Amino acid sequence: MRLILLPVSTRRTLIYCQRLNVTTTEQQSFLDRRTAWAAKTWANWEKKESGWQKKVVEYGNQALKRIPYEEWGLKSIPPISARRKEEKLSGKEKVEVSFPTTLIPEAEVSSVLTKLATERQSLHKRRMIYSFIGMPISAPVAIIPVIPNLPFFYLVFRAWSHWRALSGSKHLEFLLENRLITTKPSKILDELYATGKRPFDAGPVSSTEESSGSAQEEKMLLHKSDGKRISEALGIPELDIELDRAVWQVEKALKAEKELRDEKQELGKASADAKKQKLGEKK
């Protein structure tokens, strides 16, 4: 497999795992077969012109779009079994990481990966447990005829999704702890990002780093139209939707942060004006 780091803004990045040398003849696990069946069923429902299946897909796609892009990125990294760990350690099989050097200095790649591997582990573990707890509570909905138990199936999906992201983060952490990562700067990514270089003194690109008063304002490095361009250049069609989702979420987050800052500034200005007025009245 190969890992790809794709900066979305000057402080957030998407990690994506490209599976290499995967053949259809490999034996799939039960979970993989059920996942493939669910994806096929969902695709068939999307093709329907009307009906409750079409409505479920429409609302479902909106819900999927709101699942954090960090979670989707970690889910792209496959779980690792004890046997595969032994094989990797015995053979010292290393995983290549591609990244744009114009945005992420090679010396910072390890710290970026470490942050991505560890910062969301507790969150995924906690929410996976909550999803399991909610399953029995939603089970009685199944007695309603005709309509499927959508709350139960949603909780099943979220439990699986959090487990998959948690497994991906632990796989990445294992690779880092055992120094099984090899960096490979990508000239293709450098060219693709050529028009969106981040400021030199900005902090390392990370997934959820909060901006501080002394830091430069966070800016977008990608836009909606860039997803298709990057996916085609790298030959990974599925990256288009991943980048589209990440860009939409980060743009929305930055907009909300800007509105909050503007609101605080207005409140601060109003408070200062009120104090000045009171001092004027006393005089």
Side-chain angles (χ1 to χ4, degrees), residues 16 30 39 43 77 82 105 120 150 174 195 227 230-231 251 255 276:
Y16 183 80
F30 173 77
I77 304 173
R120 295 178 63 85
L150 296 179
F174 166 79
T195 57
I230 292 175
S231 64
E251 284 182 340
K255 183 180 178 181
K276 288 180 180 179

Side-chain angles (χ1 to χ4, degrees), residues 213-271:
S214 59
Q216 290 194 9
E217 183 180 354
E218 183 177 2
K219 295 180 180 179
M220 294 296 299
L221 295 173
L222 294 178
H223 300 282
K224 188 175 181 181
S225 60
D226 294 324
K228 186 176 182 181
R229 185 167 57 92
I230 292 175
S231 64
E232 289 178 350
L234 296 177
I236 310 174
E238 54 270 25
L239 253 185
D240 187 6
I241 190 171
E242 298 294 340
L243 285 169
D244 181 64
R245 183 190 297 115
V247 168
W248 179 79
Q249 290 181 5
V250 175
E251 284 182 340
K252 187 178 179 183
L254 293 184
K255 183 180 178 181
E257 289 173 7
K258 184 179 183 302
E259 290 175 351
L260 182 61
R261 286 197 304 270
D262 292 344
E263 185 178 347
K264 286 182 178 180
Q265 288 177 356
E266 289 177 4
L267 288 172
K269 186 178 179 182
S271 178

Side-chain angles (χ1 to χ4, degrees), residues 28-160:
Q28 290 184 317
S29 66
F30 173 77
L31 186 59
D32 289 335
R33 291 196 300 270
R34 298 308 296 174
T35 302
W37 173 84
K40 185 178 179 181
T41 302
W42 193 263
N44 290 334
W45 285 9
E46 284 184 314
K47 294 176 183 177
K48 293 184 178 293
E49 295 182 0
S50 60
W52 64 267
Q53 292 102 328
K54 185 68 174 180
K55 288 293 183 183
V56 168
V57 167
E58 289 175 355
Y59 290 120
N61 284 338
Q62 289 298 316
L64 292 175
K65 192 174 183 179
R66 285 170 169 76
I67 293 176
Y69 70 90
E70 299 97 331
E71 183 175 328
W72 288 102
L74 291 173
K75 281 165 58 177
S76 70
I77 304 173
I80 185 169
S81 63
R83 180 179 62 82
R84 284 293 295 148
K85 284 183 179 180
E86 291 178 3
E87 290 176 355
K88 283 181 177 290
L89 289 173
S90 61
K92 290 298 178 181
E93 177 188 340
K94 293 198 172 185
V95 174
E96 179 185 295
V97 181
S98 297
F99 59 97
T101 53
T102 52
L103 300 175
I104 308 176
E106 190 167 1
E108 294 180 359
V109 171
S110 180
S111 61
V112 171
L113 290 173
T114 299
K115 188 176 180 68
L116 289 168
T118 58
E119 68 178 349
R120 295 178 63 85
Q121 282 193 11
S122 59
L123 180 145
H124 289 305
K125 188 181 295 184
R126 185 170 62 252
R127 293 189 178 177
M128 179 179 67
I129 293 171
Y130 291 160
S131 296
F132 279 125
I133 293 173
M135 287 180 199
I137 299 173
S138 64
V141 179
I143 63 176
I144 301 175
V146 183
I147 300 176
N149 190 348
L150 296 179
F152 175 79
F153 290 124
Y154 177 75
L155 288 172
V156 170
F157 167 75
R158 293 304 289 135
W160 169 82

Side-chain angles (χ1 to χ4, degrees), residues 166-181:
L166 180 62
S167 299
S169 68
K170 288 184 175 180
H171 187 170
L172 181 56
E173 189 176 21
F174 166 79
L175 295 174
L176 290 164
E177 288 176 350
N178 292 280
R179 299 185 178 183
L180 297 175
I181 294 287

